[in-house]
Amino acid sequence: MAAGRQVITLIDGRDHVVGHLDYQVCHPCRAAHINTITIAGPWQGLGLGREALHRATDPWSAYAWTTSRQSADGRKFFAAMADETGMEFVPGAVGCPHITAPPRGSTPGGALL
């Protein structure tokens, strides 16, 4: 599959999931899409989402990145990340025909950015 799903899972010191980043990268189209990024409430504002996003995007920074629709907090986060990285994170679009949205309910709970 040209754009298989990849997930970065964030785990605390007690092996509890505190967040995740679900994304897809399509090398033939040089496109990538963030399906969801979630950080549990108490863990927000500590740079975990930033670090996860860098780990996902740094190898493919020349690709066109899109995101799912964004909440108000998500818009702030992606605007800050766009300023920091110089990359655009176009909301509400899928950049290539190989990228498909994940099945509903397939991601861990938490605050959705």
Side-chain angles (χ1 to χ4, degrees):
M1 185 154 78
R5 289 178 58 210
Q6 300 179 58
V7 177
I8 296 172
T9 302
L10 305 168
I11 300 171
D12 70 9
R14 297 178 297 170
D15 290 329
H16 294 117
V17 174
V18 298
H20 78 274
L21 172 63
D22 178 327
Y23 66 103
Q24 294 173 268
V25 177
C26 181
H27 300 294
C29 295
R30 298 182 55 80
H33 183 75
I34 297 169
N35 295 311
T36 59
I37 182 167
T38 304
I39 307 295
W43 295 91
Q44 290 183 7
L46 302 176
L48 297 174
R50 177 186 175 276
E51 179 64 26
L53 190 71
H54 273 289
R55 287 184 185 252
T57 62
D58 284 355
W60 321 114
S61 61
Y63 285 20
W65 282 83
T66 59
T67 70
S68 58
R69 290 188 327 237
Q70 299 170 6
S71 66
D73 287 339
R75 285 189 294 275
K76 290 177 194 172
F77 172 75
F78 284 110
M81 293 307 300
D83 286 345
E84 182 175 319
T85 64
M87 298 167 55
E88 289 188 54
F89 296 96
V90 180
V94 175
C96 88
H98 304 110
I99 293 176
T100 60
R104 287 188 181 267
S106 65
T107 56
L112 182 62
L113 289 178

